[in-house]
Amino acid sequence: MKKNKGPSSRRAEILQLYQSYAADLPTLPACALLKFLHKEQMELTANEDTAESLIDRYEIEETAIESRSMTFEGFLRYMESKDCCVFNQAHTSVYQDMDQPLSSYFISSSHNTYLTGDQFVGKSHLDAYVCALRKGCRCLEIDCWDGSDMEPVVYHGYTLTTKILFKDVISTVAQHAFEVSAYPVILSLENHCCQEQQEVMAQYLISILGDMLLTAPLDHQAGDLPSPNDLKYKILIKNKKLKLQVKREDTSGAEESAGEGEYEDDDEEEEEDDEDHQTKAKFWSPRKAGSKKKEKVLVAEALSDLVIYTRSVKFISFSHSKDNQNYYENTSMAEMKARKLAKTSGPDFVKHNQKFLTRIYPAGSRTSSSNYNAQEFWNVGSHLVALNFQSLGLPMDLNDGRFQDNGGCGYVLKPAVLMSSERSFDPSCSKQCLKPTHLLLKVISGSNLPNSRTGKALDPFIRVEIHGIPSDSRRKNTHTVKNNSLSPHWDADMNFSISVPELCLIHFCVRDQTGFLSSEFVGQYTLPFTSLKKGYRWVPLRARDGCSLDPASLFVFVWYS
């Protein structure tokens, strides 16, 4: 028997499938392959041509090719290929409608993007911006403070985190902004600079970003935000903006030209992360924190002029926003406040997010740069759910899974349930629909799993988690297989009932049983329910840092209805 160069443990399972369709024939004819595609893989659009093109792609034995059939080795190559990955390969490119207003999308967003570690003594580094952008992040945070010699700096205020120059951050963004995605980048400025240094910032933004910087409104549907397509290759500045106070000339309603109006700062905007910086101020400089009120700094006109569609305003209430907020204004709120609103006013939050952009950021108390689970805020349609990209773990795995969709471009269209004007949606209400989706996941086997940190073979089990609205969120484990990293076999059926599948993420996690109640992370893979392929599929595995663990993988059977 020929030695199989690919993962070996699935060979037996795949051979069984092959034989059941080849019957007693020496090779699998195109018509039998087509039957397999229809019946097992649920490739309902497949036809004779599909089967023949698979033979041409994966079969290497001349006699089989000539007789339009497939040997077992060819079938194995097909089953181990991207064509049989659990993630729908059509979703590795942009396939969603990119002509909706920005408020119709989840947007990959980073918090304290400049940090590579914790928030007290961590390093600020330009590489952190490069890494975030390469992961498809489209909203970056820049924490700006006055530096020496009129050079604004970026760091976590009132802490010992290192400082980097604002101009270097902008140069890095200019260089890498559109490396993996053509869609707009939003620079969320947390601005603590004096007016003079803000003017320096504005000059850098204009001179370094050039044509990439959006400096004037576009010609588009009035009253709505422009779409990702409208804003391709553009960089938007999110910051406070001066209000134009226009004086009345006379009772006829004639007004002065805008140029002659008086500017005033938008006093409503709370300093984002204010509580955060107060925490730091108390921690590092008691005298500074004790002062009654920090001096209010106006936004410099030059910087204010660069804020077009992403003007930061203070969130007061959903009814206040409905009556007063403009479509080009957005609000930011800390996770605690957002969590409370999601629980008490879910439908209002969903409605609000249909029109206005909302940014959620981690609590100031998360000094170790830990993350929350973004799913709870995606459930209410929040767009810019910001995470510490440098902190690895489940929250970032889920974020990577969510934004792997739609070609990894950083923009994922929100499901219709979050955008409906007719029906209100409350994620905390468990009865969402009359007919839930039934999902069957059969975890068959694993292949080439990495050994434990001590070099010993694993005692592996698989945990499958569904992350969606609270009533859909579930977790199930297989049994543990002793001392087998190479080819563990579980054959475990898992059944889930899901009422809002279009919001769900499926998280596969391989764990090593290290004690009666203890286990360690080995590898994981996360994908949206809507990207799941039916049938016999393999699941790629990723390390904690998101890197591929190839050739390690799982073999599963997926069915839902």
Side-chain angles (χ1 to χ4, degrees):
M1 200 157 146
K2 236 185 278 180
K3 186 166 167 47
N4 175 33
K5 292 190 176 69
S8 59
S9 73
R10 289 202 282 277
R11 198 180 174 96
E13 284 118 20
I14 294 172
L15 183 59
Q16 222 174 344
L17 278 173
Y18 178 81
Q19 286 169 340
S20 70
Y21 279 86
D24 296 325
L25 298 169
T27 57
L28 183 71
C31 60
L33 177 57
L34 183 58
K35 193 175 166 193
F36 170 78
L37 294 176
H38 284 164
K39 202 168 157 214
E40 306 291 353
Q41 305 300 74
M42 295 309 289
E43 303 282 6
L44 301 180
T45 57
N47 56 23
E48 218 36 74
D49 291 345
T50 318
E52 298 215 2
S53 76
L54 290 178
I55 291 168
D56 291 335
R57 210 172 332 153
Y58 297 111
E59 187 50 67
I60 53 172
E61 208 164 280
E62 286 300 326
T63 52
I65 295 169
E66 280 163 23
S67 65
R68 307 319 283 147
S69 63
M70 209 177 229
T71 61
F72 171 61
E73 294 297 334
F75 185 71
L76 183 64
R77 269 189 292 276
Y78 159 65
M79 291 295 288
E80 300 278 357
S81 76
K82 284 276 201 295
D83 280 324
C84 287
C85 180
V86 73
F87 183 79
N88 186 340
Q89 293 304 291
H91 295 186
T92 58
S93 310
V94 174
Y95 68 96
Q96 295 177 343
D97 177 0
M98 302 306 280
D99 290 313
Q100 298 301 312
L102 286 184
S103 52
S104 302
Y105 300 84
F106 295 127
I107 304 169
S108 180
S109 304
S110 153
H111 176 63
N112 290 346
T113 316
Y114 46 89
L115 287 183
T116 56
D118 70 44
Q119 312 203 347
F120 277 143
V121 291
K123 268 208 164 97
S124 304
H125 210 290
L126 294 170
D127 282 354
Y129 284 95
V130 180
C131 290
L133 286 165
R134 284 187 176 155
K135 272 196 146 180
C137 183
R138 299 285 86 190
C139 181
L140 307 169
E141 187 179 24
I142 309 180
D143 220 336
C144 315
W145 298 79
D146 290 337
S148 50
D149 304 325
M150 285 297 282
E151 279 290 357
V153 291
V154 173
Y155 82 114
H156 206 45
Y158 307 122
T159 67
L160 301 180
T161 58
T162 55
K163 299 174 183 179
I164 46 182
L165 296 180
F166 178 79
K167 65 176 177 187
D168 291 344
V169 171
I170 302 308
S171 297
T172 302
V173 169
Q175 203 179 331
H176 299 280
F178 303 109
E179 230 172 71
V180 303
S181 171
Y183 295 107
V185 168
I186 299 167
L187 299 183
S188 183
L189 304 184
E190 196 184 310
N191 186 356
H192 305 270
C193 293
C194 65
Q195 279 205 300
E196 293 75 18
Q197 296 218 12
Q198 287 183 52
E199 280 169 16
V200 173
M201 285 163 59
Q203 284 161 15
Y204 282 141
L205 288 166
I206 292 164
S207 62
I208 297 169
L209 297 179
D211 288 346
M212 287 187 269
L213 183 66
L214 187 77
T215 54
L218 305 171
D219 240 355
H220 75 289
Q221 178 83 33
D224 253 337
L225 285 166
S227 72
N229 267 344
D230 292 332
L231 293 164
K232 263 187 168 178
Y233 301 109
K234 287 295 178 194
I235 294 174
L236 282 65
I237 304 303
K238 176 170 127 27
N239 193 65
K240 286 194 282 185
K241 190 173 174 73
L242 294 167
K243 267 184 182 164
L244 187 60
Q245 291 296 94
V246 184
K247 296 173 187 164
R248 295 277 168 189
E249 276 284 352
D250 54 36
T251 51
S252 70
E255 294 174 348
E256 284 187 7
S257 73
E260 298 169 60
E262 289 178 0
Y263 281 110
E264 66 160 29
D265 197 359
D266 180 0
D267 198 32
E268 288 182 344
E269 161 68 348
E270 63 194 341
E271 209 43 89
E272 183 183 317
D273 270 353
D274 214 16
E275 41 158 333
D276 186 9
H277 287 298
Q278 281 165 12
T279 310
K280 307 297 183 292
K282 284 176 192 147
F283 193 89
W284 295 105
S285 47
R287 277 175 313 201
K288 223 179 259 183
S291 61
K292 273 185 193 151
K293 192 173 191 303
K294 65 174 178 210
E295 205 178 307
K296 188 163 160 35
V297 179
L298 277 174
V299 180
E301 194 177 328
L303 188 58
S304 172
D305 287 348
L306 302 181
V307 178
I308 313 297
Y309 292 119
T310 41
R311 175 196 192 167
S312 302
V313 296
K314 182 180 178 180
F315 177 79
I316 293 164
S317 69
F318 293 128
S319 58
H320 182 273
S321 289
K322 193 168 175 247
D323 297 338
N324 300 282
Q325 195 171 332
N326 293 300
Y327 71 92
Y328 52 81
E329 293 173 327
N330 57 263
T331 53
S332 285
M333 59 180 91
E335 61 174 292
M336 258 79 110
K337 185 175 185 176
R339 189 171 290 125
K340 194 175 165 191
L341 287 170
K343 281 200 175 89
T344 58
S345 321
D348 294 336
F349 211 154
V350 170
K351 202 56 126 193
H352 173 88
N353 285 331
Q354 289 175 357
K355 187 156 178 66
F356 309 114
L357 290 179
T358 304
R359 181 174 185 268
I360 316 287
Y361 57 92
S365 54
R366 291 181 181 271
T367 51
S368 65
S369 295
S370 63
N371 281 317
Y372 48 68
N373 182 339
Q375 184 68 43
E376 57 180 319
F377 305 120
W378 290 327
N379 285 341
V380 288
S382 301
H383 319 80
L384 303 160
V385 183
L387 295 176
N388 292 294
F389 270 47
Q390 77 276 22
S391 301
L392 309 173
L394 179 66
M396 270 312 292
D397 293 342
L398 297 178
N399 198 69
D400 290 347
R402 171 73 64 210
F403 290 105
Q404 181 187 189
D405 196 5
N406 206 27
C409 75
Y411 285 80
V412 170
L413 195 60
K414 295 199 281 187
V417 69
L418 291 175
M419 297 306 293
S420 167
S421 49
E422 282 92 55
R423 287 188 59 189
S424 77
F425 175 71
D426 186 354
S428 54
C429 172
S430 58
K431 291 281 172 279
Q432 292 298 342
C433 67
L434 299 170
K435 191 180 177 295
T437 296
H438 176 73
L439 169 67
L440 162 68
L441 283 177
K442 188 186 182 78
V443 180
I444 302 169
S445 61
S447 176
N448 295 306
L449 304 180
N451 282 336
S452 69
R453 281 183 301 190
T454 57
K456 293 212 312 272
L458 303 177
D459 291 347
F461 69 91
I462 307 302
R463 175 174 292 162
V464 175
E465 295 176 355
I466 310 287
H467 291 266
I469 63 166
S471 62
D472 283 345
S473 300
R474 292 278 177 275
R475 126 194 317 190
K476 294 189 177 179
N477 295 339
T478 65
H479 62 278
T480 299
V481 170
K482 288 281 184 204
N483 196 32
N484 190 342
S485 302
L486 193 63
S487 55
H489 210 277
W490 294 281
D491 241 339
D493 283 3
M494 296 181 179
N495 288 284
F496 299 95
S497 181
I498 302 174
S499 61
V500 192
E502 58 271 48
L503 270 172
C504 283
L505 293 170
I506 315 289
H507 177 71
F508 293 90
C509 187
V510 182
R511 299 192 69 86
D512 180 23
Q513 190 88 48
T514 51
F516 182 57
L517 289 172
S518 58
S519 63
E520 281 184 3
F521 173 89
V522 176
Q524 69 83 32
Y525 186 72
T526 308
L527 76 165
F529 178 95
T530 49
S531 298
L532 262 185
K533 289 287 277 182
K534 287 179 177 175
Y536 288 93
R537 304 286 167 182
W538 59 275
V539 179
L541 291 172
R542 292 185 177 167
R544 190 88 285 177
D545 62 3
C547 289
S548 167
L549 286 174
D550 187 61
S553 60
L554 304 177
F555 190 49
V556 298
F557 178 76
V558 180
W559 175 259
Y560 52 86
S561 61

